[in-house]
Each structure stands twice: as C-alpha cells, then as structure tokens.
C-alpha cells in the first residue's frame, strides 16, 4: 500500500470516529458552558493525540529508511 493511502486511511479513521461521536446525543448550548468547553477541548486533544500516534505508525517506514540511509 502506498504511503499516501496509509496516511489517508489513518486520518480517515480519526475523522470517522469524530463524526460518529458528533452524531451521538451531544449538544452545545449557545453560550458555551464551562463543562461543555472542557469536554470539547478534551475531545480535540484526544483526536490530535490519536492522529499523531497513527501518523507515527504510518510514517515508520520513512524513519527506518532514513536510518538505513545514514
């Protein structure tokens, strides 16, 4: 599988998970409450961490290649 498709599928997995969570019974009030802001911030942080971890896995072949070339 090409590197493009590996990265695309890893990012798609994170975005699909986020979309599924948004389709749940979640609402945000017009003046955003502190607890809602905290939940949204934690959710964003979790998505970013998951994306970084999956990208690290997806780009591991490039790291091995760079090590082999040095």
């Amino acid at each position: 599988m090409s590197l493009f498709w590996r990265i695309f599928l890893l990012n798609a997995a994170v975005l699909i998970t986020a979309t599924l969570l948004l389709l749940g019974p979640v609402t945000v009030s017009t003046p955003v409450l502190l607890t809602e802001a905290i939940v949204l911030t934690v959710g964003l942080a979790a998505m970013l961490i998951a994306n970084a971890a999956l990208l690290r896995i997806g780009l591991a072949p490039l790291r091995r290649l760079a090590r082999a070339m040095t």
Side-chain angles (χ1 to χ4, degrees):
M1 181 184 312
S2 73
L3 185 60
F4 169 78
W5 286 111
R6 290 180 77 177
I7 292 173
F8 174 78
L9 291 175
L10 293 173
N11 283 328
V14 172
L15 293 174
I16 289 170
T17 303
T19 302
L20 290 176
L21 290 174
L22 287 174
L23 293 176
V26 178
T27 58
V28 178
S29 57
T30 301
V32 179
L33 301 174
L34 178 62
T35 55
E36 293 172 342
I38 291 171
V39 169
L40 290 172
T41 304
V42 169
L44 176 62
M47 274 186 10
L48 291 174
I49 290 168
N51 195 25
L54 290 172
L55 281 175
R56 180 174 294 269
I57 292 167
L59 295 175
L62 284 180
R63 179 179 293 151
R64 288 193 303 267
L65 175 64
R67 238 182 289 141
M69 291 175 66
T70 59

